[in-house]
Amino acid sequence: LGGIVAENLAVEAMIAPTISEGTASGQTPLAGRPWTWTRTVVPTDEPDLLRIHITVNDPEGQAAERTLFRSRTRQ
């Protein structure tokens, strides 16, 4: 289930018109459980490319992580 939360956050990051560098975090309920997530967006050596790293935790610890790359703006 943590993987589903991570995939949903990855999709949101990819379809957003723009995404800001930095760290964001939050909590998403799924299947009656709280899932805490952190999304870190950092630049890469390619000027228009960002690296997005997502970690998802359940109350017991890390459940899933995803790393993806996208352009600074969608066209």
Side-chain angles (χ1 to χ4, degrees):
L1 293 173
I4 292 170
V5 174
E7 289 293 325
N8 289 342
L9 292 165
V11 169
E12 289 175 7
M14 291 302 288
I15 66 173
T18 61
I19 191 164
S20 300
E21 292 178 31
T23 301
S25 60
Q27 191 174 70
T28 301
L30 180 65
R33 298 168 69 180
W35 300 90
T36 304
W37 55 267
T38 302
R39 182 187 70 212
T40 305
V41 180
V42 296
T44 65
D45 291 338
E46 181 66 36
D48 188 48
L49 195 62
L50 295 171
R51 178 182 183 268
I52 303 167
H53 186 74
I54 298 166
T55 57
V56 176
N57 299 289
D58 66 7
E60 289 91 42
Q62 186 168 331
E65 66 181 324
R66 301 289 185 271
T67 300
L68 52 144
F69 296 87
R70 68 159 277 178
S71 65
R72 289 184 183 274
T73 58
R74 283 188 56 241
Q75 298 179 9

